Amino acid sequence: MAKPGRFGGDVSHLNLHKTFCIPHGGGGPGVGPVAAREHLAPYLPGHPIEPRPGADTVGPVAAAPYGSAGILPISWAYLRLMGPDGLRNATGSAVLAANYLARRLSAHYPVLYTGAGGLVAHECILDLRPITKTTGVTVDDVAKRLIDYGFHAPTMSFPVPAR
């Protein structure tokens, strides 16, 4: 089990997409709790009605200062419906499918964020920057063309730094 407090970071964003199997966009991009070490607490967004003593915050950053409670039943229902065996099978299927794509496409496109032995986790991230540089075709163009052929476009907003 992962323990974000032991990773050594000052801030951890526990994205529900990864943590609780919420589909991308299921409640907003990056929905999930943000945990921060104690020395950063005075700088976290606050609540206008219940300010934290000694905190000089900017106030809430959303209309729901404590997050969207409506997203939690989706996670709960997904976990309950899948059960331990279903979650394990879904995870294995996602990892297998991503590695199949990575292997099939690696001769044509650089695959980013691989681990030991060239394997990826549950997402196959292709580097289209060289194509964009030489042709002007962007990742959004590729996503739209996939939709033209009846394929659900993958996540196209993964943060890949510009070279």
Side-chain angles (χ1 to χ4, degrees):
M1 178 201 277
K3 297 184 179 181
R6 293 189 175 178
F7 294 164
D10 287 333
V11 177
S12 288
H13 176 223
L14 306 175
N15 188 330
L16 288 181
H17 164 63
K18 306 287 189 286
T19 312
F20 296 114
C21 302
I22 285 291
H24 281 290
V31 78
V34 175
R37 292 204 182 268
E38 190 173 343
H39 71 281
L40 295 175
Y43 307 102
L44 294 174
H47 193 286
I49 298 173
E50 299 176 20
R52 289 188 307 273
D56 183 23
T57 68
V58 297
V61 294
Y66 294 124
S68 173
I71 199 67
L72 299 176
I74 298 170
S75 299
W76 178 83
Y78 182 83
L79 292 169
R80 293 285 297 175
L81 289 168
M82 293 291 281
D85 293 337
L87 289 172
R88 191 174 300 107
N89 289 340
T91 300
S93 179
V95 171
L96 182 62
N99 279 286
Y100 174 79
L101 283 174
R103 190 64 53 154
R104 291 294 306 262
L105 296 173
S106 64
H108 308 286
Y109 307 96
V111 177
L112 299 177
Y113 310 115
T114 59
L119 298 176
V120 298
H122 72 290
E123 292 180 328
C124 169
I125 311 295
L126 302 177
D127 188 357
L128 300 184
R129 292 174 294 185
I131 291 173
T132 301
K133 187 175 182 179
T134 59
T135 67
V137 174
T138 67
V139 294
D140 293 330
D141 296 328
V142 172
K144 290 174 183 173
R145 195 63 175 145
L146 285 170
I147 292 169
D148 288 343
Y149 282 94
F151 292 99
H152 174 73
T155 302
M156 303 304 277
S157 61
F158 195 88
V160 176
R163 284 192 216 166

